[in-house]
Amino acid sequence: MNIGIFGTGMVGNTLATKLVSLGHSVCMGSRTADNEKATQWAAKAGAGASHGTFADAASHGEILFNCTSGGHSLAALEAAGAANLAGKVLVDVANPLDFSKGMPPTLSICNDDSLGETIQRAFPEARVVKTLNTINCQVMVEPSRIPGDHDLFISGNDAAAKSQVKDLLASFGWERIIDLGDISTARGTESYLPLWVRMMQAFGTADFNISVRKAQ
Amino acid sequence: MNIGIFGTGMVGNTLATKLVSLGHSVCMGSRTADNEKATQWAAKAGAGASHGTFADAASHGEILFNCTSGGHSLAALEAAGAANLAGKVLVDVANPLDFSKGMPPTLSICNDDSLGETIQRAFPEARVVKTLNTINCQVMVEPSRIPGDHDLFISGNDAAAKSQVKDLLASFGWERIIDLGDISTARGTESYLPLWVRMMQAFGTADFNISVRKAQ
């Protein structure tokens, strides 16, 4: 499958590398066509890997991943171009974390809104699916590194888009994916980040996830 | 042990009943001394159960539980009286949920503050411990209703107070309690509520909890 990745940071790099390893053709997009990190990634990842502008990545992909930092996501998606996003599955992995006051971060969007919804409103023809934003990128692409069963969440207005993303996540090894409902439920998973960050600080590692357990 | 409970709702009732069943002397406090729900509870709970005003409950208890709704907690604690709270362990079970716009609720305090911190600032001589706010009251007092291992969080500035609360929680059956740090970490657990509420809506039950799993 042709996939576009927005963002050259650790999350974009990790997801792009995983997708290439699974045989997909992946274009990593950034603000400029000659971004150093994207160039290095494409050279190292080899066959199936390419890079370009946000618009190049958006044109290339049938499925797109927003791996930019939350504060820059809207600008990146605008650079990608609404026409290039229209009708496509846009997996929003970002969190609206604001580190301007140091650690732990606050959220730049929260409570009665979410980044996922903001993106869906700004690009109504994109089929936005919020997922993977509750875990570190190593866990995203290798859920088996966490022992036992543990859960991922998914939110979005388009059932077919969520289904397609679930299939892709299953190819990463995700067996348990909780569908919370429409894109407004992204408020729930984005709002979990302040707890995630404090657990990360208490544990001294980001290599964890939660397993939801119900009474029987 | 003498324990004071602020609040006559389902959370206060469930915790008060559990504490009486464990042999503690529990006074349930509310705005008025003749509150109908508190009177009924005390009559039904029997020996060890009493009721009165918020100030009565605060005077009675060595450990106090704030089980009022988050929007009313400060007023209730003011009615209890700062002098009656001074030096005592105050377990803050409440969440600042705002249902004024319907379901799901928003948070009336969030992001760069929390209810737990607000209470600690307002009553600096109280030893505030935030815990139990990430689960339904049935799970609070009977963790074994959830199969397998699952976790509770605790936040507070006073290590001895947290230790005392952990002992009390152990008597409920809590084996896994994650100490997130000082009271500012209550931002993490209160911020989890929007995810909890959406899981509750997706599952159709509040009878669940999360288990934190780390890579090995």
Side-chain angles (χ1 to χ4, degrees):
Chain A
M1 190 184 292
N2 288 348
I3 296 177
I5 300 273
F6 304 134
T8 63
M10 202 158 69
V11 176
N13 190 302
T14 304
L15 278 170
T17 301
K18 177 70 173 188
L19 289 162
V20 166
S21 80
L22 291 171
H24 299 289
S25 170
V26 178
C27 181
M28 179 184 282
S30 61
R31 275 183 294 178
T32 56
D34 61 350
N35 177 283
E36 196 182 340
K37 287 203 276 182
T39 308
Q40 284 175 357
W41 170 77
K44 193 176 165 194
S50 62
H51 69 100
T53 62
F54 287 129
D56 292 333
S59 305
H60 177 80
E62 302 156 62
I63 294 191
L64 309 171
F65 282 79
N66 174 36
C67 304
T68 62
S69 62
H72 298 120
S73 293
L74 278 180
L77 295 170
E78 277 156 24
N84 289 327
L85 305 178
K88 292 188 180 169
V89 175
L90 173 56
V91 185
D92 178 28
V93 178
N95 284 302
L97 298 176
D98 176 1
F99 291 93
S100 64
K101 291 164 211 148
M103 276 292 281
T106 54
L107 297 169
S108 59
I109 305 171
C110 65
N111 209 14
D112 59 357
D113 201 359
S114 63
L115 179 63
E117 288 165 275
T118 305
I119 291 173
Q120 184 64 83
R121 280 197 307 273
F123 302 96
E125 292 185 75
R127 302 156 73 201
V128 179
V129 175
K130 186 96 201 186
T131 192
L132 290 171
N133 62 312
T134 55
I135 38 174
N136 183 270
C137 59
Q138 277 80 36
V139 182
M140 288 182 193
V141 300
E142 191 192 348
S144 62
R145 63 191 294 122
I146 309 289
D149 49 15
H150 54 105
D151 293 279
L152 191 60
F153 301 94
I154 196 164
S155 304
N157 298 339
D158 186 314
K162 284 192 279 195
S163 177
Q164 210 177 335
V165 174
K166 277 187 200 169
D167 288 346
L168 201 56
L169 293 169
S171 75
F172 291 3
W174 284 102
E175 291 169 2
R176 290 164 52 119
I177 303 174
I178 296 170
D179 190 341
L180 291 172
D182 68 27
I183 193 65
S184 77
T185 62
R187 291 181 204 178
T189 56
E190 293 180 15
S191 191
Y192 163 74
L193 261 286
L195 177 57
W196 184 91
V197 169
R198 283 164 183 87
M199 284 199 270
M200 189 264 285
Q201 292 182 311
F203 300 156
T205 175
D207 222 355
F208 65 89
N209 192 20
I210 56 174
S211 171
V212 179
R213 306 194 157 275
K214 296 178 205 171
Q216 279 166 334
Chain B
M1 190 184 294
N2 288 348
I3 296 176
I5 300 274
F6 304 133
T8 62
M10 202 157 68
V11 177
N13 189 302
T14 303
L15 278 170
T17 301
K18 177 70 173 188
L19 289 162
V20 166
S21 80
L22 291 171
H24 300 290
S25 169
V26 178
C27 180
M28 179 183 283
S30 61
R31 275 182 295 178
T32 56
D34 61 350
N35 177 284
E36 195 181 343
K37 286 203 276 182
T39 307
Q40 285 175 356
W41 170 78
K44 192 175 165 194
S50 62
H51 69 100
T53 62
F54 286 129
D56 292 333
S59 305
H60 177 80
E62 303 157 62
I63 294 190
L64 310 172
F65 282 79
N66 175 35
C67 304
T68 62
S69 63
H72 298 120
S73 293
L74 278 181
L77 294 170
E78 278 156 24
N84 289 327
L85 305 178
K88 293 188 180 168
V89 175
L90 174 55
V91 186
D92 179 28
V93 177
N95 284 302
L97 298 175
D98 177 1
F99 292 93
S100 65
K101 292 166 210 147
M103 275 292 282
T106 54
L107 297 170
S108 59
I109 305 172
C110 66
N111 209 14
D112 59 357
D113 201 0
S114 63
L115 179 63
E117 288 165 277
T118 305
I119 291 172
Q120 183 65 83
R121 280 197 307 274
F123 302 96
E125 292 185 76
R127 302 157 72 201
V128 179
V129 175
K130 186 98 201 184
T131 192
L132 290 172
N133 63 311
T134 54
I135 37 173
N136 183 270
C137 59
Q138 277 80 36
V139 182
M140 288 182 192
V141 301
E142 191 192 348
S144 62
R145 63 191 293 123
I146 308 290
D149 50 17
H150 55 105
D151 292 279
L152 192 60
F153 301 94
I154 196 165
S155 304
N157 297 340
D158 186 315
K162 283 193 279 195
S163 177
Q164 209 177 337
V165 173
K166 277 186 200 170
D167 289 346
L168 200 57
L169 294 169
S171 75
F172 293 3
W174 283 102
E175 291 169 1
R176 290 165 52 119
I177 303 175
I178 297 170
D179 190 341
L180 291 173
D182 67 27
I183 193 65
S184 77
T185 62
R187 291 180 206 178
T189 56
E190 293 179 15
S191 191
Y192 163 74
L193 261 286
L195 177 57
W196 185 91
V197 167
R198 283 164 183 87
M199 283 199 271
M200 189 264 285
Q201 292 181 311
F203 301 157
T205 175
D207 222 354
F208 66 89
N209 191 20
I210 56 174
S211 171
V212 180
R213 305 191 159 277
K214 297 178 205 172
Q216 280 166 335

